[in-house]
Amino acid sequence: MPLVVLCGRPGSGRSRRAAELREALRGAGRAAHVVSEAEGGRAALRAEVERLLSRRDVVIVDAGNEVRSIRYELYCAARQAGTPSCLLLCAGGRDGPELPPFEAPDPRNRWDRPLFAVCGEEPLPLGAIRAALFESAAPAPHRATRSQPLQSCGFLHSLDRRTQDVLDAVVAAQRDGALPGEVIRVPGVAEGLVLSRPVSVAELSRLRRQFISYTKMQPSDENLPQLASMFVQYLSRSIQ
């Protein structure tokens, strides 16, 4: 059954909202599972969500999901499972230089809609959330890939080229002596990549294949300018 992704800064009340949703969305013959950030990081979180997605139960992801690449992965997982999804933004909370940068959802992005937002003690828009989850048609897996073959070919070519450019930049930086903790700059990407440890070409290639696998589920020309940035963010979260 459907997927609800929560996002918000620390202190925004995200976990409280996840508990409210669990109580409100479970029912006769239907459980509601809350998946929180756990040991193993991003990959473990994604794997647990994929394991729980089914035609019966509701999966609620209570994690920061502060960068768009994470939300995109979860959106793709729901689409592949053929189940509706929605995003709940818990506004407010705290910010600071010691915290990861928060990329606010943008409803123009497919993976950020339908988007609902709550702040403070506002009641959850349960009616609208239930309609999005239980009254919406489940998307067909890979429908966009089948219905837009010409667009998909161009998209996949750009996906392959831009992720390879990122990988080449990281490999070159490490070869030139970049140390863990230093910022690696990738041409055309505003944010830098900071690695906590040396990363082999084999591991980078494996992460690139994983990113391509998720991203090609939903090819769209509107995502082209963000591909390199999304891959940099994916590497930043996956390499721990």
Side-chain angles (χ1 to χ4, degrees):
M1 282 294 281
L3 174 69
V4 185
V5 177
L6 281 76
C7 69
R9 294 179 174 88
S12 62
R14 196 180 63 238
S15 294
R16 175 171 59 86
R17 296 299 190 174
E20 290 181 36
L21 283 171
R22 181 178 56 193
E23 293 300 316
L25 297 179
R26 67 184 180 183
R30 181 179 69 231
H33 305 281
V34 175
V35 180
S36 301
E37 298 204 55
E39 185 177 354
R42 177 173 177 169
L45 178 75
R46 185 178 65 241
E48 181 67 4
V49 169
E50 292 174 343
R51 184 183 71 82
L52 290 172
L53 280 174
S54 70
R55 296 184 179 275
R56 184 187 62 193
D57 299 337
V58 177
V59 180
I60 302 164
V61 182
D62 172 25
N65 299 320
E66 65 274 0
V67 295
R68 58 179 174 261
S69 59
I70 304 176
R71 300 193 295 265
Y72 183 77
E73 287 181 24
L74 296 173
Y75 165 82
C76 288
R79 188 172 183 87
Q80 186 175 32
T83 188
S85 64
C86 72
L87 181 67
L88 177 66
L89 170 63
C90 299
R94 65 181 186 276
D95 202 355
E98 76 284 359
L99 298 173
F102 181 72
E103 296 181 350
D106 184 344
R108 291 174 297 181
N109 297 329
R110 296 178 184 179
W111 58 90
D112 283 339
R113 64 176 189 255
L115 173 63
F116 306 101
V118 290
C119 183
E121 299 302 318
E122 288 181 354
L124 289 171
L126 290 174
I129 291 175
R130 287 192 179 100
L133 298 179
F134 304 129
E135 299 175 18
S136 299
H142 308 290
R143 181 178 60 188
T145 304
R146 292 197 302 266
S147 64
Q148 301 177 16
L150 295 178
Q151 179 191 49
S152 298
C153 290
F155 179 88
L156 293 177
H157 173 76
S158 296
L159 175 63
D160 181 80
R161 177 173 55 84
R162 296 183 188 193
T163 54
Q164 186 62 52
D165 288 345
V166 172
L167 190 148
D168 290 343
V170 176
V171 171
Q174 291 190 118
R175 185 178 60 241
D176 293 341
L179 298 174
E182 294 184 4
V183 178
I184 296 175
R185 295 295 177 184
V186 176
V189 179
E191 62 267 37
L193 174 64
V194 178
L195 299 178
S196 60
R197 57 177 174 81
V199 186
S200 67
V201 174
E203 182 176 0
L204 288 169
S205 298
R206 176 179 60 79
L207 291 171
R208 176 173 175 263
R209 290 193 298 271
Q210 290 176 353
F211 179 80
I212 289 175
S213 178
Y214 279 106
T215 307
K216 72 181 182 181
M217 296 177 187
Q218 187 68 17
S220 172
D221 288 343
E222 70 185 40
N223 300 335
L224 286 175
Q226 306 176 44
L227 288 175
S229 176
M230 290 172 63
F231 184 42
V232 167
Q233 293 167 6
Y234 183 86
L235 291 177
S236 179
R237 293 285 303 212
S238 300
I239 299 171
Q240 298 179 2

